[in-house]
Amino acid sequence: MKYLVMVQGSQADYEAMSGKPSADGPAWSEKELQAMFAYMGEINNDLAESGELIDAQGLTEPAQTRFVSRDKDGRPVITDGPYGETKEVLAGYWLLECESLERVTEIALRVSACPGPAGLVEPPVVIRPVGDASGGEC
């Protein structure tokens, strides 16, 4: 079964990682950032070694986001970020091939234990099964 494991974040989270605290969280030090990157790298290495890792990526800050849609007349509507009304966005993901929901939940719990600065409120880690081309589960 394939699963998408997603970590959420906000523009304020990205700014905090750049050393700018906000009402929502403390600023990260360089040492805390390096610990986070090392922790996530260890997870990626373990998942690659176990054969469960298909892909994993961190995403750029929401300020670099672009929404593409159409208005009621079918004309393109393209809006560049940042989006003040957007609280949380996808910050990174793992695409995994795991034997069970229990196994991918273990991995998500490990991801949720990522180190960070004191006072950091970690957003939940989201697990979604990936459907196959026929609309069912893989």
Side-chain angles (χ1 to χ4, degrees), residues 35-48:
M36 182 265 297
F37 290 135
Y39 184 85
M40 292 301 187
E42 186 178 310
I43 291 174
N44 291 345
N45 291 340
D46 291 348
L47 293 170

Side-chain angles (χ1 to χ4, degrees), residues 37-112:
F37 290 135
Y39 184 85
M40 292 301 187
E42 186 178 310
I43 291 174
N44 291 345
N45 291 340
D46 291 348
L47 293 170
E49 189 174 299
S50 71
E52 295 168 303
L53 181 65
I54 297 170
D55 188 30
Q57 300 292 327
L59 301 175
T60 61
E61 64 181 322
Q64 296 183 37
T65 302
R66 173 175 277 184
F67 284 150
V68 178
S69 62
R70 294 194 175 271
D71 68 14
K72 63 181 177 149
D73 297 320
R75 291 182 301 247
V77 177
I78 300 169
T79 310
D80 290 331
Y83 308 99
E85 68 280 359
T86 303
K87 297 256 183 210
E88 291 184 346
V89 296
L90 183 61
Y93 69 89
W94 289 262
L95 181 58
L96 305 174
E97 178 97 40
C98 295
E99 63 187 39
S100 66
L101 180 58
E102 290 75 22
R103 171 62 181 144
V104 75
T105 300
E106 290 173 12
I107 295 165
L109 284 169
R110 184 175 173 196
V111 169
S112 73

Side-chain angles (χ1 to χ4, degrees), residues 1 128-138:
M1 172 87 66
R128 301 256 330 251
V130 176
D132 65 18
S134 66
E137 294 179 351
C138 292

